[in-house]
Amino acid sequence: MESMWSPRYETMERDEMRQLQLERLQASLQYLFRRVPFYKDRLIEHNMGPGDLNELEDLRLFPFTTKEMLLEGFPYSFFAVPMRAIARIHTSSGTTGKPIVVGYTKRDLKNWGDLMARIMVASGVGEQDVVQISFNYGLFTGGFGFHHGAEQIGATIIPASAMSLTRQISTMQNFRATALVSLPSHALRIAHHLEETGTDSRSLSLRIGLFGAEPWSESTRQQIEEKLLIKATDNYGLAEMGGPGVSFECHHCCGLHINEDHFYPEVVDPETGEVLTEGEEGELVLTTLTKEAIPLLRYRTGDITSLNYEPCPCGRTLVRMARVKGRVDDMFILHGVNIFPNQVEEIVLSDPQVGPNYLIELYRERGRDFCTVKVETHLQEKEEINRLQEKLSHRIQETIGVEMSVLLVESGSISASKGKQKVVEDRRSI
Ligand code: DLL
């Protein structure tokens, strides 16, 4: 069995986990009904009370909470404790308008640290590791979240936060970082920068990478692993649930284990809200089971995934969610086909000659929709470029079933954003 931070919870028998979830859910419903006027009103509106949950399946009768509702309550309406009990504030990383504001009590912070320690241990980080955290430290949850986890397990932390690629690399080299924590797009950029500057990856001491906070593909994982000579894991979370710490990959990388003793997952049909069965793909809905500052009931994450209750070869029994395919609102429709950006990424970045940045551009001419996928490359030879462009667009046609033209552009010509990368530009409605 792999080493685990909380084996008691990570390997709990299904019956015992269900009992724990039921008890925590019942307590959580009482708590939010008493403490958050929004929930009291909403349950009464639905003719329901906190006592209406007798078994886990009853949860589907309760109303959802949406991002819009949280935004309407900006900043503090969803807080269940007085401000003096709030130890920390973070926000979601939304770039437009108001962000979602989340608070933590001291106990929430302690739980968060424990969950992050689980994640880090599952990725293979131990107290002997030197962990470079290249997520932004600030209102974004990424930097501090992983920091708490690394601290709990006693690793050495380099709080690199946001700095230029050159400085990230020299810091890794100078301090002999063994684990890198960042956005996957950032890691890919580091890998390409090493190549461009002729720096041997063996000049780094990295062996593990923990990535997350944005959708990415298996092809990207492969490129990162090969170019940086590391094992890369996917980690998922959202500010509304406290940040990273919701789910994580173990060494088998076959789905992300959900910390379901703290978050109760459901997958629903994004259109109808109906709960789907195991294996069916839909929108992830999460209910917090232990939160004090912001308990949330059936929160619509907007993220597309499916659940798998089979125990994992690593020994964990925690349910696994499939790698997030994208957000309900990231999906675009081209010639009637629903497409998520990472399906395109999977194909175009499967070639080691291209990357790290790409951009899917959609436009309309004389009533017809077109799509161009721009991808960076170091290739210079016109013929090589043409051949590769054709090969990639042919593969898109074969795999996704729609026509997209692939345009290889000079390395560095697609602007890389500081935070999460924007990969779709839909100009069809303009
Ligand atoms: O991104 C929390 C986080 C930080 C997770 C560091 C992992 C690592 P937000 O800024 O609130 O929180 O953004 C949450 O990002 O609803 C997903 O759409 C997306 N997302 C997060 N992790 C993944 C992932 C943080 N591993 C939103 N794969 C979520 C795909 C992800 N999408």
Side-chain angles (χ1 to χ4, degrees), residues 24-262:
R24 289 187 169 176
L25 208 46
Q26 284 170 332
S28 203
L29 281 169
Q30 294 287 354
Y31 180 80
L32 55 82
F33 187 80
R34 268 189 288 115
R35 302 261 192 148
V36 186
F38 168 86
Y39 278 126
K40 183 172 187 173
D41 295 347
R42 196 146 162 78
L43 289 191
I44 291 173
E45 218 175 89
H46 280 76
N47 264 329
M48 301 188 81
D52 286 333
L53 186 110
N54 297 308
E55 49 182 310
L56 288 176
E57 281 63 31
D58 292 342
L59 187 61
R60 63 187 63 188
L61 306 172
F62 283 78
F64 292 117
T65 308
T66 63
K67 195 178 211 132
E68 289 67 39
M69 293 171 189
L70 294 191
L71 286 174
E72 215 160 285
F74 180 88
Y76 295 145
S77 311
F78 277 80
F79 283 22
V81 294
M83 279 312 277
R84 73 187 125 80
I86 297 287
R88 176 89 63 77
I89 298 279
H90 279 287
T91 66
S92 64
S93 57
T95 43
T96 49
K98 288 185 289 196
I100 304 259
V101 182
V102 288
Y104 305 70
T105 62
K106 276 200 178 129
R107 205 184 76 180
D108 290 335
L109 287 176
K110 161 83 177 58
N111 283 340
W112 193 20
D114 267 339
L115 294 181
M116 294 311 293
R118 279 190 200 178
I119 288 181
M120 304 207 75
V121 170
S123 281
V125 178
E127 60 181 2
Q128 75 291 346
D129 278 294
V130 179
V131 185
Q132 178 150 331
I133 301 179
S134 303
F135 276 126
N136 227 338
Y137 278 66
L139 285 170
F140 177 53
T141 53
F144 279 98
F146 281 90
H147 188 99
H148 294 319
E151 206 162 51
Q152 289 254 14
I153 62 178
T156 307
I157 301 169
I158 307 174
S161 195
M163 352 187 249
S164 68
L165 289 182
T166 322
R167 279 195 65 206
Q168 290 281 357
I169 293 168
S170 63
T171 306
M172 272 190 265
Q173 285 169 327
N174 293 340
F175 305 148
R176 291 192 280 282
T178 55
L180 172 66
V181 178
S182 75
L183 288 167
S185 56
H186 182 76
L188 198 57
R189 256 177 251 140
I190 289 180
H192 279 265
H193 193 77
L194 289 173
E195 272 183 354
E196 275 163 18
T197 52
T199 316
D200 190 341
S201 305
R202 280 170 298 189
S203 68
L204 306 177
S205 316
L206 284 184
R207 52 181 203 95
I208 303 172
L210 290 92
F211 306 112
E214 64 185 1
W216 54 313
S217 63
E218 274 311 307
S219 302
T220 301
R221 184 195 328 250
Q222 219 173 335
Q223 278 211 29
I224 293 174
E225 288 191 334
E226 281 168 14
K227 290 182 201 268
L228 290 181
L229 307 170
I230 57 172
K231 170 95 187 157
T233 61
D234 189 12
N235 301 281
Y236 167 85
L238 57 163
E240 296 87 320
M241 296 291 133
V246 174
S247 66
F248 60 98
E249 275 182 335
C250 62
H251 268 194
H252 295 271
C253 295
C254 50
L256 291 82
H257 291 283
I258 300 179
N259 283 317
E260 49 174 330
D261 48 332
H262 292 265

